[in-house]
Amino acid sequence: MQEYLNSFAAQARQLTVVGIVFLVVTSIMMMKNIEAAFNRIWRVGSPARLSSFCCTGRC
């Protein structure tokens, strides 16, 4: 397990700016997708705006 973590950390250090931006955008899109699924499950009428999404600490 330690070897896996060391390998992951070594690869993470090599991320470029483009890679970091891609990771952040992908993470936000994934969180919005999960929120949309929960909204469908709980039958929420109007989804939260991006500004409130980020201001509540979920972003």
Side-chain angles (χ1 to χ4, degrees):
M1 185 70 168
Q2 185 67 33
E3 184 179 325
Y4 173 77
L5 290 174
N6 288 337
S7 173
F8 177 80
Q11 291 175 2
R13 278 189 226 114
Q14 296 175 353
L15 276 177
T16 62
V17 173
V18 174
I20 292 170
V21 169
F22 182 75
L23 181 64
V24 169
V25 169
T26 304
S27 299
I28 292 171
M29 289 172 56
M30 181 180 63
M31 287 187 293
K32 290 297 283 182
N33 194 20
I34 291 170
E35 181 184 24
F38 282 142
N39 286 344
R40 280 192 304 273
I41 291 169
W42 294 325
R43 295 183 176 97
V44 173
S46 60
R49 295 186 322 244
L50 182 61
S51 60
S52 64
F53 180 78
C54 290
C55 291
T56 58
R58 294 185 287 175
C59 177

